[in-house]
């Protein structure tokens, strides 16, 4: 198992993501200018401020050469995880539903939050139980996930809301307390919290490691609900 | 030709910037201002306006959360 971590100009969490991946598998960085994924088995689109967040977070990065390769990989069922800015990039690219808006409180947030696993049956949540609580930090300015009512109802019905902030712990005003969602097939997952910053008890929590270890067990669970 | 693209948050989407500005106005003595919404203005110089809609939909605006309005300025 080899996991590729995309690096855009302005990424800043790709090294932590790489380290987290390296705890469970082989891992390598993929520069945004390349047009292939070097044959990796899974892709992480990490956090940061790709292209300076110009226009909207993720709006420019989605046109990076590597994103075409990521989209093709995702279409073939390849597992893709977008974290924070990576989530924004995947939403802008249309690989995940919804969009990320400025936090309702207009402040940059940096805090530990609890999230609930709503959908264990994805390649990135295979090691989690339904309803499991994970303590993972958020750090973002534009984390208010939004989709219209019809889309949210559809996502609920299809089990595509993967993570919710624990009751009372929604830091950014996201619709329906959504912290992360997945694609229709379940192989593309995105979330605002940073599991790669929660892989060692020394820094407060190792709960995030479950997302990365899941990839070793989750490949065959693509498309299965719950 | 010169083109202005106005990009606004869609109706019904919470605009905390607009709300904050609206709340600040009475403190400065500006009463009776409501429904403040804050968006973006993009100025462009284009030779062929036929692809402006496409350009706005693909990049300048995220139509899930924003509406855009194209204003072509006469030379």
């Amino acid at each position: 198992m080899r996991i590729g971590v995309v690096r855009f100009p302005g990424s800043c969490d790709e090294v932590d993501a790489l380290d987290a991946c390296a705890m469970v598998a082989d891992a390598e960085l993929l520069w945004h200018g390349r047009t292939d994924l070097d044959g990796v088995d899974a892709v992480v689109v990490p956090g940061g401020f790709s292209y300076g967040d110009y226009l909207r977070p993720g709006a420019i990065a989605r046109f990076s050469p590597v994103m075409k390769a990521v989209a093709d990989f995702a279409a073939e069922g390849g597992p893709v995880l977008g974290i924070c800015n990576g989530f924004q990039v995947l939403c802008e690219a249309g690989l995940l539903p919804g969009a990320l808006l400025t936090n309702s409180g207009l402040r940059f947030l940096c805090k530990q939050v609890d999230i609930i696993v709503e959908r264990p049956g994805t390649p990135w949540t295979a090691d989690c139980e339904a309803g499991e609580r994970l303590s993972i930090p958020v750090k973002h300015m534009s984390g208010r996930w939004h989709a219209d009512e019809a889309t949210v109802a559809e996502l609920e019905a299809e089990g595509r809301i993967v993570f919710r902030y624990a009751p009372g712990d929604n830091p950014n005003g996201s619709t329906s307390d959504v912290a992360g969602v997945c694609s229709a097939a379940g192989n593309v997952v995105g979330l605002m919290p940073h599991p790669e910053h929660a892989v060692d008890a020394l820094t407060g929590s190792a709960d995030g490691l479950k997302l990365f270890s899941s990839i070793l067990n989750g490949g065959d669970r693509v498309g299965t609900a719950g | 030709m010169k083109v202005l693209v106005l990009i606004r948050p869609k109706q019904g989407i919470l605009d905390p910037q607009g709300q904050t500005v609206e709340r600040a106005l009475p403190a400065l003595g500006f009463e009776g201002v409501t429904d403040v919404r804050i968006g973006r203005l993009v100025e462009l110089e284009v030779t062929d306006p036929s692809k402006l809609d496409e350009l706005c939909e693909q990049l300048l605006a995220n139509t899930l959360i924003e509406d855009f309005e194209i204003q072509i300025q006469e030379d």
Side-chain angles (χ1 to χ4, degrees):
Chain A
M1 167 68 70
R2 201 153 46 89
I3 309 173
V5 179
V6 176
R7 169 182 266 171
F8 298 107
S11 290
C12 65
D13 297 323
E14 76 279 26
V15 175
D16 270 20
L18 188 73
D19 288 349
C21 291
M23 291 171 82
V24 301
D26 293 328
E28 67 180 76
L29 287 173
L30 300 169
W31 181 238
H32 75 115
R34 64 185 302 159
T35 54
D36 70 288
L37 300 179
D38 199 24
V40 296
D41 305 298
V43 174
V44 174
V45 187
F49 302 87
S50 57
Y51 295 88
D53 273 357
Y54 295 160
L55 195 62
R56 296 179 305 277
I60 312 287
R62 67 165 284 211
F63 295 105
S64 271
V66 77
M67 283 309 297
K68 171 78 171 69
V70 170
D72 292 344
F73 179 73
E76 289 164 10
V80 178
L81 177 67
I83 303 167
C84 195
N85 185 229
F87 183 23
Q88 296 163 338
V89 172
L90 295 176
C91 285
E92 283 282 342
L95 295 175
L96 287 173
L100 283 309
L101 291 153
T102 307
N103 299 338
S104 57
L106 293 176
R107 286 173 189 269
F108 186 90
L109 296 166
C110 183
K111 60 183 292 204
Q112 200 79 12
V113 297
D114 277 3
I115 59 174
I116 309 286
V117 179
E118 301 276 329
R119 164 83 183 264
T122 79
W124 302 99
T125 52
D127 283 355
C128 303
E129 304 293 329
E132 186 172 348
R133 218 175 161 103
L134 305 175
S135 173
I136 293 184
V138 292
K139 51 177 183 110
H140 59 245
M141 182 73 203
S142 301
R144 178 169 43 117
W145 183 84
H146 172 86
D148 61 34
E149 273 181 38
T151 305
V152 174
E154 187 184 321
L155 296 178
E156 295 265 17
E158 294 175 357
R160 290 171 59 191
I161 292 168
V162 181
F163 302 104
R164 273 202 168 85
Y165 298 107
D169 229 4
N170 182 344
N172 53 39
S174 68
T175 303
S176 198
D177 293 336
V178 168
V181 296
C182 68
S183 61
N187 59 310
V188 183
V189 172
L191 76 167
M192 285 313 296
H194 286 266
E196 81 282 18
H197 295 330
V199 295
D200 191 324
L202 182 67
T203 55
S205 165
D207 291 353
L209 194 55
K210 285 198 167 181
L211 276 75
F212 298 97
S213 63
S214 288
I215 197 66
L216 300 180
N217 310 318
D220 57 341
R221 303 197 30 189
V222 173
T224 60
Chain B
M1 65 181 65
K2 187 172 181 177
V3 175
L4 301 182
V5 180
L6 304 176
I7 300 155
R8 301 182 176 90
K10 268 189 191 295
Q11 278 306 321
I13 287 195
L14 175 72
D15 174 18
Q17 275 196 92
Q19 287 183 338
T20 303
V21 169
E22 187 173 318
R23 282 199 299 269
L25 289 170
L28 299 171
F30 299 102
E31 299 290 344
V33 182
T34 58
D35 300 314
V36 178
R37 310 278 288 168
I38 296 180
R40 261 196 315 279
L41 166 66
V42 182
E43 288 185 353
L44 306 166
E45 188 69 40
V46 300
T47 48
D48 173 14
S50 68
K51 290 197 165 167
L52 275 172
D53 269 317
E54 205 179 324
L55 178 158
C56 289
E57 281 166 16
Q58 282 191 25
L59 181 59
L60 296 190
N62 180 337
T63 54
L64 293 177
I65 49 174
E66 296 167 327
D67 291 323
F68 64 88
E69 179 185 329
I70 296 167
Q71 296 182 350
I72 295 178
Q73 309 278 292
E74 297 306 324
D75 290 325

